[in-house]
Structure formats: structure tokens, C-alpha cells
Amino acid sequence: MKARVPKNSGGAQNMNQMIRQAQKMQDQITELQEDIESREFTATAGGGAVEVTLSGKKEIKSLNLKPEIVDPEDIEMLQDLIISAINEAVNNIETTTESEMSKITGGVSIPGMF
């Protein structure tokens, strides 16, 4: 019994098209990563008493404290508010990255990309 092999199925052409699409997606992902790294993300805590701005690279760019929040008797609260604001800004970066990446990848998770 002989196996029937489809003639001229376009396998190489389909493979080339998939490679081009993958390269285009990689270029879009790289461009988006660079764009996000150039952005700034701001978050607040304590009703705006603490404001932190991070770069898309998750580096702290600024930290602003309202004078009334600084209480020498309650340093722990100030520390908690600062940590909360930083964590919120980092979460904003990650949420934005995931959301915008899924637009490029169609929701497919690519290990190691984000």
C-alpha cells in the first residue's frame, strides 16, 4: 500500500509566512517594551498623601510626601504608605504591559516575554 503525499501543498510557503508573522510579532513586542520602559507610572496612597512615580523599568523617579503625613511618632504608617504606593505603581506597570502585550500576541502567553 502506497501512502498518498499531497502534491504542492504549499508547506514551505506556509512556513515562510508563519516565520514572517512571528518576526513581525517579535518586532511589535520589542517596540512595545521600549515604549513602556520610556513611560512613567504614578500611584498614590493615603488619599494622595504619598505619591510615587516609577519608570516603566520599575525605577523610582520621584517620591512626594505631604508634610502632614510625616509624624515622628508614627514612622511605620509612613513606611507602609510608601510601600503601598510603590507596589501600586509596579502593579500598574505590569497590568499595562500584560494588557498591551495581549493585544499583540492575541492573548497567547509567550514564556520569558513578560
Side-chain angles (χ1 to χ4, degrees), residues 82-110:
I82 292 170
I83 290 168
S84 178
I86 291 170
N87 287 338
E88 181 66 25
V90 168
N91 186 47
N92 290 344
I93 295 167
E94 292 174 357
T95 300
T96 299
T97 301
E98 289 175 19
S99 171
E100 294 189 21
M101 282 289 184
S102 71
K103 292 175 187 174
I104 294 172
T105 64
V108 175
S109 179
I110 301 173

Side-chain angles (χ1 to χ4, degrees), residues 33-85:
Q33 287 173 328
E34 291 170 357
D35 177 47
I36 288 174
E37 288 178 358
S38 71
R39 295 185 202 176
E40 290 188 350
F41 296 81
T42 301
T44 62
V50 174
E51 180 183 272
V52 65
T53 300
L54 273 65
S55 72
K57 293 181 181 183
K58 300 178 186 171
E59 298 170 340
I60 297 174
K61 302 297 274 181
S62 69
L63 174 65
N64 296 309
L65 308 173
K66 288 191 176 178
E68 61 269 16
I69 197 71
V70 181
D71 179 0
E73 301 295 319
D74 195 2
I75 297 296
E76 288 181 19
M77 181 189 66
L78 179 58
Q79 292 168 334
D80 289 343
L81 290 173
I82 292 170
I83 290 168
S84 178

